[in-house]
Amino acid sequence: MKLEPRPDRGRHLRALRRAGRLPAIVYGHNVDALTVLVDGRDFVKAFQKVGRNQLVDLQVGEEPVRKALIREVQRSPRDGDLLHVDFYQVNLMEKIESEVPIDLEGEVELVAKGEADLQRGLHLLKVECLPTDLPAVITVDVSSLKEIDDEIRVKDLPVPPGCEILDEPEDLIVKVATHREEVEEAAPAVPAPAEVPIVGEAQAPAEGEGEGPAES
């Protein structure tokens, strides 16, 4: 992705976003933080392709390409629009810590028959490795789970090459649990009618909507 330096930090952000330009920051270990702008469409395409744990090439002006991870994506709580992006510049010779998604594959026969439920534990695995060894996903095959209480924990996972898993060995990944039938709850008893308020009696005002996060 091509980035351009943003010297006017904190100014004209709404106008920039309306023009399709997204404010961002590039930082890292022993790296001076740099505020930049990135084309919003280019960022979305890259983010859909690499996610948060695969390297992306950043080109700032005529500088050498920077290898980075997309660390944080801020969105508006009101409409979901992109607000700001944090890029973490890495040193290819220096280990980093990151979270890798856990993807379940295969089928548990008891679950497929509706006789059991599949209970999820961790959805992400914390690993430490060189940036070039960071896996896109860690796949866990659940087809070996045959009986109720069969489970897979962190200690049962194969360690990705070049990685160290930082989660506790006993942390649960997935477990076959007894199927719980959904029981329809009885309707609650209807309370006695409240007294009719006197005309003109003051009522508490409705709570207003909170303001979104301050722009950076």
Side-chain angles (χ1 to χ4, degrees):
M1 284 184 290
K2 291 186 177 181
L3 310 179
E4 70 177 273
R6 177 168 63 96
D8 56 341
R9 181 176 182 179
R11 299 176 56 192
H12 315 302
L13 292 184
R14 291 184 180 178
L16 288 171
R17 294 185 185 112
R18 284 196 296 267
R21 300 161 79 194
L22 188 62
I25 187 170
V26 181
Y27 69 99
H29 184 219
N30 293 328
V31 175
D32 292 334
L34 175 66
T35 54
V36 294
L37 292 171
V38 58
D39 183 275
R41 289 171 297 182
D42 290 346
F43 172 76
V44 170
K45 290 178 182 178
F47 189 44
Q48 289 174 341
K49 183 177 181 180
V50 305
R52 298 176 187 271
N53 63 328
Q54 293 293 282
L55 293 175
V56 62
D57 290 341
L58 304 180
Q59 181 76 57
V60 183
E62 300 300 322
E63 296 180 2
V65 169
R66 303 174 183 227
K67 298 286 187 178
L69 297 169
I70 300 171
R71 273 298 193 214
E72 185 176 354
V73 181
Q74 297 177 16
R75 294 182 179 272
S76 167
R78 188 169 302 169
D79 51 27
D81 287 349
L82 293 171
L83 296 178
H84 192 274
V85 179
D86 290 4
F87 295 103
Y88 183 80
Q89 183 175 336
V90 302
N91 180 339
L92 296 182
M93 302 304 294
E94 184 177 278
K95 289 186 176 182
I96 59 171
E97 293 182 9
S98 188
E99 293 182 330
V100 181
I102 299 171
D103 183 30
L104 302 184
E105 70 171 13
E107 182 179 83
V108 179
E109 187 174 352
L110 287 178
V111 176
K113 291 180 177 180
E115 299 173 2
D117 296 323
L118 200 59
Q119 178 184 339
R120 287 294 302 265
L122 298 178
H123 291 259
L124 298 168
L125 206 62
K126 297 176 184 177
V127 302
E128 182 181 49
C129 61
L130 293 175
T132 50
D133 290 331
L134 190 61
V137 67
I138 293 177
T139 302
V140 178
D141 185 2
V142 299
S143 59
S144 61
L145 304 178
K146 303 297 185 183
E147 305 292 341
I148 298 294
D149 291 334
D150 281 357
E151 61 186 18
I152 298 174
R153 296 186 178 271
V154 169
K155 63 183 180 182
D156 303 316
L157 299 179
V159 180
C163 293
E164 177 185 355
I165 298 177
L166 302 180
D167 293 281
E168 293 296 326
E170 294 298 328
D171 285 350
L172 181 68
I173 303 297
V174 65
K175 178 179 180 178
V176 180
T178 302
H179 182 63
R180 294 184 178 181
E181 296 287 348
E182 294 186 2
V183 179
E184 186 175 349
E185 296 183 0
V190 179
E195 294 183 2
V196 178
I198 300 173
V199 175
E201 188 175 36
Q203 295 182 354
E207 185 178 353
E209 292 184 1
E211 299 243 343
E215 295 178 341
S216 59

